[in-house]
Amino acid sequence: MGALPAIALTTGEPAGIGPELCLAVAARPWAARLVAVGPLEHLRETAARLGSQVKPVSVSTARPHRAGELQVLDIPLAVPTVPGRLDPRNAEAVLSTLRRAARGCLEGEFDGMVTAPVHKGVMNDAGYAFSGHTEFLGELAGGRPVMLLVSGELRVALATTHLPLRDVPAAITPEGLDVVLRGLHAGLRERFGITEPRILVAGLNPHAGESGHLGDEEIRVIAPTLQRLRAAGLSLEGPLPADTLFTPERLAGADAVLAMYHDQGLPVLKYAGFGRAVNITMGIPLLRTSVDHGTALDIAGRGRADPGSMAAALELAIEIAARTAASA
Protein backbone atom coordinates (compact mmCIF):
# COMPACT_ATOMS: atom_id res chain seq x y z
CA MET A 1 0.00 0.00 0.00
CA GLY A 2 1.24 3.50 -0.76
CA ALA A 3 1.21 6.53 1.49
CA LEU A 4 -2.06 7.72 -0.03
CA PRO A 5 -5.14 5.52 0.52
CA ALA A 6 -6.41 3.72 -2.57
CA ILE A 7 -10.18 4.08 -3.01
CA ALA A 8 -12.35 2.39 -5.64
CA LEU A 9 -15.43 4.22 -6.94
CA THR A 10 -18.11 1.96 -8.39
CA THR A 11 -20.14 3.78 -11.02
CA GLY A 12 -23.56 2.34 -10.17
CA GLU A 13 -26.56 2.03 -12.49
CA PRO A 14 -25.37 3.26 -15.91
CA ALA A 15 -28.77 4.77 -16.77
CA GLY A 16 -28.76 6.76 -13.53
CA ILE A 17 -26.64 9.57 -12.13
CA GLY A 18 -23.80 7.40 -10.81
CA PRO A 19 -21.42 7.90 -13.74
CA GLU A 20 -21.82 11.68 -13.65
CA LEU A 21 -21.29 11.72 -9.88
CA CYS A 22 -17.96 9.94 -10.39
CA LEU A 23 -16.98 12.49 -13.01
CA ALA A 24 -18.01 15.35 -10.74
CA VAL A 25 -15.92 14.24 -7.75
CA ALA A 26 -12.96 13.52 -10.07
CA ALA A 27 -12.91 17.22 -10.99
CA ARG A 28 -11.69 17.98 -7.46
CA PRO A 29 -8.30 17.29 -5.87
CA TRP A 30 -8.20 14.41 -3.38
CA ALA A 31 -5.41 13.12 -1.17
CA ALA A 32 -5.90 9.57 -2.39
CA ARG A 33 -5.34 7.14 -5.22
CA LEU A 34 -8.75 7.00 -6.88
CA VAL A 35 -9.95 4.59 -9.52
CA ALA A 36 -13.44 4.17 -10.92
CA VAL A 37 -14.58 0.60 -11.49
CA GLY A 38 -17.04 0.74 -14.33
CA PRO A 39 -17.59 1.13 -18.09
CA LEU A 40 -14.85 3.31 -19.57
CA GLU A 41 -16.61 4.03 -22.87
CA HIS A 42 -19.86 4.96 -21.12
CA LEU A 43 -17.97 7.32 -18.80
CA ARG A 44 -16.37 8.97 -21.83
CA GLU A 45 -19.78 9.31 -23.51
CA THR A 46 -21.24 10.76 -20.31
CA ALA A 47 -18.42 13.30 -20.03
CA ALA A 48 -18.96 14.35 -23.65
CA ARG A 49 -22.74 14.60 -23.20
CA LEU A 50 -22.39 16.81 -20.12
CA GLY A 51 -19.52 18.89 -21.48
CA SER A 52 -17.38 17.77 -18.56
CA GLN A 53 -13.69 18.61 -18.70
CA VAL A 54 -12.87 15.45 -16.71
CA LYS A 55 -10.99 12.92 -18.82
CA PRO A 56 -11.66 9.21 -18.14
CA VAL A 57 -8.48 7.17 -18.75
CA SER A 58 -7.82 3.44 -18.61
CA VAL A 59 -5.55 2.16 -15.82
CA SER A 60 -4.65 -1.17 -14.30
CA THR A 61 -3.37 0.22 -10.98
CA ALA A 62 -4.58 3.36 -9.25
CA ARG A 63 -2.17 6.31 -9.27
CA PRO A 64 -2.41 9.43 -7.08
CA HIS A 65 -5.48 11.33 -8.20
CA ARG A 66 -5.13 14.41 -10.38
CA ALA A 67 -8.05 16.84 -10.55
CA GLY A 68 -9.71 16.61 -13.94
CA GLU A 69 -8.78 12.99 -14.59
CA LEU A 70 -10.77 9.85 -13.76
CA GLN A 71 -8.79 6.64 -13.72
CA VAL A 72 -10.93 3.68 -14.74
CA LEU A 73 -10.73 -0.08 -14.37
CA ASP A 74 -12.94 -0.96 -17.31
CA ILE A 75 -16.02 -3.17 -16.79
CA PRO A 76 -17.81 -2.87 -20.16
CA LEU A 77 -21.59 -2.76 -20.44
CA ALA A 78 -23.42 -5.52 -22.28
CA VAL A 79 -25.38 -3.00 -24.34
CA PRO A 80 -25.26 0.79 -24.76
CA THR A 81 -27.48 2.67 -22.34
CA VAL A 82 -29.64 5.78 -22.53
CA PRO A 83 -29.92 8.08 -19.49
CA GLY A 84 -33.09 7.35 -17.57
CA ARG A 85 -33.85 4.04 -19.35
CA LEU A 86 -33.12 0.90 -17.36
CA ASP A 87 -31.94 -2.19 -19.21
CA PRO A 88 -31.73 -5.53 -17.35
CA ARG A 89 -29.05 -6.69 -19.79
CA ASN A 90 -26.55 -4.43 -18.01
CA ALA A 91 -27.29 -5.80 -14.54
CA GLU A 92 -24.44 -8.32 -14.66
CA ALA A 93 -21.94 -5.57 -15.53
CA VAL A 94 -23.13 -3.52 -12.56
CA LEU A 95 -22.72 -6.48 -10.21
CA SER A 96 -19.28 -7.12 -11.71
CA THR A 97 -18.17 -3.63 -10.65
CA LEU A 98 -19.14 -4.44 -7.06
CA ARG A 99 -17.40 -7.81 -7.12
CA ARG A 100 -14.23 -6.31 -8.58
CA ALA A 101 -14.07 -3.45 -6.08
CA ALA A 102 -14.84 -5.71 -3.12
CA ARG A 103 -12.22 -8.22 -4.20
CA GLY A 104 -9.69 -5.42 -4.47
CA CYS A 105 -10.51 -4.33 -0.92
CA LEU A 106 -10.25 -7.85 0.49
CA GLU A 107 -6.95 -8.50 -1.27
CA GLY A 108 -5.33 -5.22 -0.20
CA GLU A 109 -5.39 -3.52 -3.61
CA PHE A 110 -7.82 -0.90 -2.29
CA ASP A 111 -8.23 0.56 1.19
CA GLY A 112 -11.93 1.11 0.66
CA MET A 113 -14.74 1.47 -1.85
CA VAL A 114 -17.33 4.17 -2.48
CA THR A 115 -20.47 3.07 -4.29
CA ALA A 116 -22.69 5.13 -6.57
CA PRO A 117 -26.39 4.16 -6.44
CA VAL A 118 -27.74 1.04 -8.14
CA HIS A 119 -31.33 0.18 -9.01
CA LYS A 120 -32.67 -2.82 -7.08
CA GLY A 121 -35.68 -3.24 -9.35
CA VAL A 122 -33.72 -3.76 -12.57
CA MET A 123 -31.40 -6.20 -10.78
CA ASN A 124 -34.38 -8.32 -9.80
CA ASP A 125 -35.90 -7.96 -13.28
CA ALA A 126 -32.65 -9.43 -14.60
CA GLY A 127 -33.08 -12.47 -12.34
CA TYR A 128 -30.80 -11.54 -9.45
CA ALA A 129 -32.11 -11.70 -5.88
CA PHE A 130 -30.66 -8.31 -4.98
CA SER A 131 -31.94 -6.35 -1.99
CA GLY A 132 -29.14 -3.79 -1.75
CA HIS A 133 -25.41 -3.08 -1.58
CA THR A 134 -25.32 -3.81 2.15
CA GLU A 135 -26.63 -7.35 1.88
CA PHE A 136 -24.73 -8.10 -1.34
CA LEU A 137 -21.39 -7.04 0.13
CA GLY A 138 -22.13 -9.02 3.29
CA GLU A 139 -22.49 -12.16 1.17
CA LEU A 140 -19.29 -11.37 -0.74
CA ALA A 141 -17.11 -10.36 2.19
CA GLY A 142 -18.56 -12.34 5.07
CA GLY A 143 -19.62 -11.00 8.43
CA ARG A 144 -22.97 -9.52 9.40
CA PRO A 145 -23.39 -6.17 7.64
CA VAL A 146 -24.79 -3.24 9.59
CA MET A 147 -26.15 -0.21 7.72
CA LEU A 148 -25.14 3.09 9.32
CA LEU A 149 -25.93 6.51 7.91
CA VAL A 150 -23.97 9.55 9.04
CA SER A 151 -24.92 13.22 8.81
CA GLY A 152 -22.62 15.48 10.77
CA GLU A 153 -22.67 14.24 14.37
CA LEU A 154 -25.84 12.19 13.87
CA ARG A 155 -25.30 8.47 13.22
CA VAL A 156 -28.25 6.13 12.67
CA ALA A 157 -27.86 2.36 12.26
CA LEU A 158 -30.52 -0.19 11.36
CA ALA A 159 -31.38 -3.47 13.06
CA THR A 160 -33.12 -4.58 9.84
CA THR A 161 -32.53 -3.15 6.39
CA HIS A 162 -34.52 -3.65 3.20
CA LEU A 163 -37.54 -5.61 4.37
CA PRO A 164 -41.28 -5.19 3.86
CA LEU A 165 -42.73 -3.70 7.02
CA ARG A 166 -44.82 -6.81 7.66
CA ASP A 167 -41.61 -8.88 7.96
CA VAL A 168 -39.80 -6.62 10.43
CA PRO A 169 -41.11 -7.94 13.81
CA ALA A 170 -40.11 -11.53 13.06
CA ALA A 171 -36.69 -10.37 11.90
CA ILE A 172 -35.91 -8.72 15.24
CA THR A 173 -34.42 -11.56 17.26
CA PRO A 174 -32.07 -11.72 20.25
CA GLU A 175 -29.37 -13.24 18.06
CA GLY A 176 -29.77 -10.64 15.35
CA LEU A 177 -29.77 -7.69 17.75
CA ASP A 178 -26.73 -9.09 19.52
CA VAL A 179 -24.75 -9.29 16.29
CA VAL A 180 -25.87 -5.86 15.05
CA LEU A 181 -25.12 -4.07 18.33
CA ARG A 182 -21.74 -5.73 18.73
CA GLY A 183 -20.91 -4.88 15.11
CA LEU A 184 -22.05 -1.28 15.56
CA HIS A 185 -20.06 -0.94 18.80
CA ALA A 186 -16.92 -2.36 17.18
CA GLY A 187 -17.38 -0.23 14.06
CA LEU A 188 -17.72 2.99 16.05
CA ARG A 189 -14.47 2.15 17.79
CA GLU A 190 -12.54 0.97 14.74
CA ARG A 191 -13.90 3.26 12.01
CA PHE A 192 -14.60 6.42 14.01
CA GLY A 193 -12.07 6.17 16.84
CA ILE A 194 -14.73 6.37 19.58
CA THR A 195 -13.24 4.57 22.58
CA GLU A 196 -16.44 3.93 24.55
CA PRO A 197 -19.44 4.30 22.21
CA ARG A 198 -22.79 5.21 23.74
CA ILE A 199 -25.70 3.85 21.69
CA LEU A 200 -29.39 4.71 21.97
CA VAL A 201 -31.71 1.87 20.96
CA ALA A 202 -35.23 2.46 19.68
CA GLY A 203 -38.20 0.29 20.50
CA LEU A 204 -40.17 -1.29 17.69
CA ASN A 205 -43.69 -0.21 18.65
CA PRO A 206 -45.24 3.18 19.38
CA HIS A 207 -44.20 4.39 22.85
CA ALA A 208 -41.76 1.44 22.94
CA GLY A 209 -44.74 -0.87 23.44
CA GLU A 210 -46.41 1.07 26.27
CA SER A 211 -45.52 -1.63 28.84
CA GLY A 212 -46.78 -4.35 26.52
CA HIS A 213 -50.12 -2.75 25.66
CA LEU A 214 -48.94 -1.72 22.15
CA GLY A 215 -46.78 -4.74 21.42
CA ASP A 216 -44.44 -6.93 23.43
CA GLU A 217 -41.26 -7.12 21.32
CA GLU A 218 -39.59 -4.66 23.69
CA ILE A 219 -40.33 -6.89 26.69
CA ARG A 220 -39.64 -10.25 25.03
CA VAL A 221 -36.67 -9.43 22.78
CA ILE A 222 -35.16 -5.96 22.90
CA ALA A 223 -34.86 -5.21 26.63
CA PRO A 224 -33.41 -8.62 27.61
CA THR A 225 -30.86 -8.42 24.79
CA LEU A 226 -29.76 -4.95 25.85
CA GLN A 227 -29.41 -6.13 29.45
CA ARG A 228 -27.12 -9.00 28.41
CA LEU A 229 -24.98 -6.70 26.29
CA ARG A 230 -24.72 -4.11 29.08
CA ALA A 231 -23.38 -6.89 31.31
CA ALA A 232 -20.80 -7.54 28.57
CA GLY A 233 -19.63 -3.92 28.73
CA LEU A 234 -21.60 -2.13 26.00
CA SER A 235 -23.08 1.28 26.80
CA LEU A 236 -26.69 1.01 25.65
CA GLU A 237 -29.82 2.98 26.51
CA GLY A 238 -33.25 1.70 25.62
CA PRO A 239 -35.55 0.52 24.32
CA LEU A 240 -36.68 4.11 23.82
CA PRO A 241 -39.80 5.49 22.11
CA ALA A 242 -38.72 6.45 18.60
CA ASP A 243 -40.89 9.58 18.52
CA THR A 244 -38.85 11.23 21.31
CA LEU A 245 -35.51 9.49 20.81
CA PHE A 246 -34.31 12.05 18.26
CA THR A 247 -34.79 15.13 20.39
CA PRO A 248 -31.61 17.18 21.02
CA GLU A 249 -31.75 16.51 24.74
CA ARG A 250 -31.86 12.75 24.25
CA LEU A 251 -29.16 12.73 21.56
CA ALA A 252 -26.74 14.82 23.62
CA GLY A 253 -23.72 12.67 24.39
CA ALA A 254 -24.88 9.76 22.23
CA ASP A 255 -22.60 8.39 19.52
CA ALA A 256 -25.21 6.50 17.50
CA VAL A 257 -28.85 5.45 17.37
CA LEU A 258 -30.02 1.95 16.47
CA ALA A 259 -33.43 2.04 14.77
CA MET A 260 -35.40 -1.17 14.37
CA TYR A 261 -36.27 -0.69 10.70
CA HIS A 262 -35.44 1.41 7.65
CA ASP A 263 -38.15 4.06 7.79
CA GLN A 264 -38.02 4.45 11.56
CA GLY A 265 -34.58 6.03 11.58
CA LEU A 266 -33.62 7.18 8.13
CA PRO A 267 -36.31 9.85 7.53
CA VAL A 268 -34.97 11.75 10.55
CA LEU A 269 -31.37 11.52 9.38
CA LYS A 270 -32.18 12.46 5.81
CA TYR A 271 -34.25 15.41 6.95
CA ALA A 272 -31.22 16.55 8.93
CA GLY A 273 -28.78 16.26 6.05
CA PHE A 274 -30.13 14.84 2.79
CA GLY A 275 -27.67 15.25 -0.03
CA ARG A 276 -24.72 15.40 2.37
CA ALA A 277 -25.24 12.22 4.41
CA VAL A 278 -23.13 9.10 3.98
CA ASN A 279 -24.08 5.43 4.11
CA ILE A 280 -21.34 3.24 5.62
CA THR A 281 -21.45 -0.54 5.95
CA MET A 282 -20.19 -1.81 9.30
CA GLY A 283 -19.59 -5.39 10.38
CA ILE A 284 -17.78 -6.59 7.24
CA PRO A 285 -14.02 -6.88 6.64
CA LEU A 286 -13.83 -4.04 4.14
CA LEU A 287 -14.50 -0.30 4.15
CA ARG A 288 -17.50 0.75 2.08
CA THR A 289 -19.24 4.12 2.01
CA SER A 290 -21.99 5.33 -0.29
CA VAL A 291 -24.45 8.08 -1.10
CA ASP A 292 -27.70 8.73 0.75
CA HIS A 293 -29.90 8.70 -2.37
CA GLY A 294 -30.93 6.62 -5.35
CA THR A 295 -30.32 6.55 -9.08
CA ALA A 296 -32.42 9.67 -9.89
CA LEU A 297 -33.41 8.38 -13.33
CA ASP A 298 -35.57 11.45 -13.90
CA ILE A 299 -32.56 13.79 -14.03
CA ALA A 300 -29.89 11.42 -15.33
CA GLY A 301 -27.83 12.80 -18.19
CA ARG A 302 -28.95 16.40 -17.65
CA GLY A 303 -26.04 17.64 -15.56
CA ARG A 304 -28.32 18.43 -12.62
CA ALA A 305 -27.12 15.76 -10.19
CA ASP A 306 -25.77 17.10 -6.90
CA PRO A 307 -22.46 15.36 -6.09
CA GLY A 308 -22.55 16.47 -2.43
CA SER A 309 -23.30 13.06 -0.93
CA MET A 310 -20.82 11.29 -3.24
CA ALA A 311 -18.12 13.75 -2.23
CA ALA A 312 -18.99 13.31 1.46
CA ALA A 313 -18.83 9.52 1.06
CA LEU A 314 -15.42 9.75 -0.59
CA GLU A 315 -14.15 12.18 2.05
CA LEU A 316 -15.26 9.86 4.87
CA ALA A 317 -13.70 6.81 3.16
CA ILE A 318 -10.37 8.61 2.81
CA GLU A 319 -10.54 9.82 6.43
CA ILE A 320 -11.27 6.34 7.81
CA ALA A 321 -8.66 4.67 5.59
CA ALA A 322 -6.02 7.16 6.72
CA ARG A 323 -6.98 6.73 10.38
CA THR A 324 -6.84 2.96 10.03
CA ALA A 325 -3.40 3.09 8.41
CA ALA A 326 -2.09 5.44 11.11
CA SER A 327 -3.22 3.11 13.90
CA ALA A 328 -1.91 -0.06 12.25
Side-chain angles (χ1 to χ4, degrees):
M1 308 300 284
L4 294 177
I7 306 294
L9 309 175
T10 60
T11 54
E13 166 54 49
I17 62 173
E20 56 196 275
L21 296 179
C22 292
L23 291 167
V25 296
R28 295 173 45 178
W30 296 96
R33 292 174 288 144
L34 303 185
V35 59
V37 182
L40 175 61
E41 188 57 35
H42 179 61
L43 286 163
R44 287 174 172 166
E45 292 170 357
T46 301
R49 180 185 301 111
L50 298 177
S52 170
Q53 299 303 305
V54 175
K55 182 180 179 181
V57 297
S58 177
V59 298
S60 57
T61 303
R63 306 185 300 263
H65 175 66
R66 294 182 294 190
E69 180 181 85
L70 180 59
Q71 302 174 74
V72 183
L73 288 175
D74 187 26
I75 307 287
L77 297 176
V79 293
T81 191
V82 176
R85 297 184 188 176
L86 297 170
D87 193 323
R89 292 175 292 177
N90 283 325
E92 175 58 31
V94 174
L95 291 178
S96 292
T97 68
L98 300 180
R99 296 189 193 103
R100 176 64 180 86
R103 186 177 79 245
C105 290
L106 294 171
E107 294 177 355
E109 179 185 5
F110 305 129
D111 297 291
M113 58 188 288
V114 178
T115 59
V118 297
H119 195 283
K120 301 177 186 65
V122 76
M123 296 289 193
N124 285 276
D125 289 343
Y128 297 98
F130 185 89
S131 59
H133 278 108
T134 303
E135 298 84 356
F136 183 78
L137 291 173
E139 292 180 8
L140 280 180
R144 168 60 161 86
V146 178
M147 182 185 290
L148 174 73
L149 269 82
V150 180
S151 177
E153 295 301 311
L154 180 60
R155 304 180 185 95
V156 178
L158 301 178
T160 62
T161 52
H162 299 111
L163 290 178
L165 195 56
R166 65 178 176 271
D167 295 338
V168 169
I172 297 173
T173 64
E175 297 78 14
L177 281 178
D178 185 284
V179 171
V180 168
L181 281 164
R182 289 182 186 273
L184 176 58
H185 176 86
L188 290 170
R189 296 183 66 182
E190 295 163 8
R191 304 293 197 200
F192 292 91
I194 301 170
T195 306
E196 296 294 336
R198 177 171 172 256
I199 302 169
L200 307 184
V201 181
L204 171 65
N205 298 293
H207 303 177
E210 195 75 73
S211 300
H213 295 288
L214 293 176
D216 66 354
E217 286 83 1
E218 289 78 11
I219 295 171
R220 289 188 301 104
V221 179
I222 302 174
T225 303
L226 299 188
Q227 187 59 37
R228 286 196 300 273
L229 290 173
R230 290 188 194 104
L234 276 65
S235 178
L236 306 171
E237 185 176 347
L240 300 168
D243 62 344
T244 55
L245 187 160
F246 291 98
T247 59
E249 295 79 7
R250 180 69 79 177
L251 290 174
D255 297 299
V257 170
L258 180 68
M260 290 297 110
Y261 56 94
H262 189 280
D263 283 10
Q264 184 185 57
L266 296 195
V268 178
L269 183 132
K270 293 189 178 185
Y271 176 78
F274 187 68
R276 297 295 183 274
V278 177
N279 183 349
I280 176 170
T281 305
M282 316 281 258
I284 61 175
L286 62 84
L287 170 61
R288 176 257 175 168
T289 65
S290 190
V291 295
D292 66 352
H293 55 74
T295 52
L297 297 172
D298 57 327
I299 62 169
R302 301 183 185 181
R304 292 170 47 194
D306 183 350
S309 184
M310 190 74 172
L314 177 53
E315 184 175 7
L316 182 59
I318 293 170
E319 175 188 324
I320 292 174
R323 183 188 300 120
T324 301
S327 63

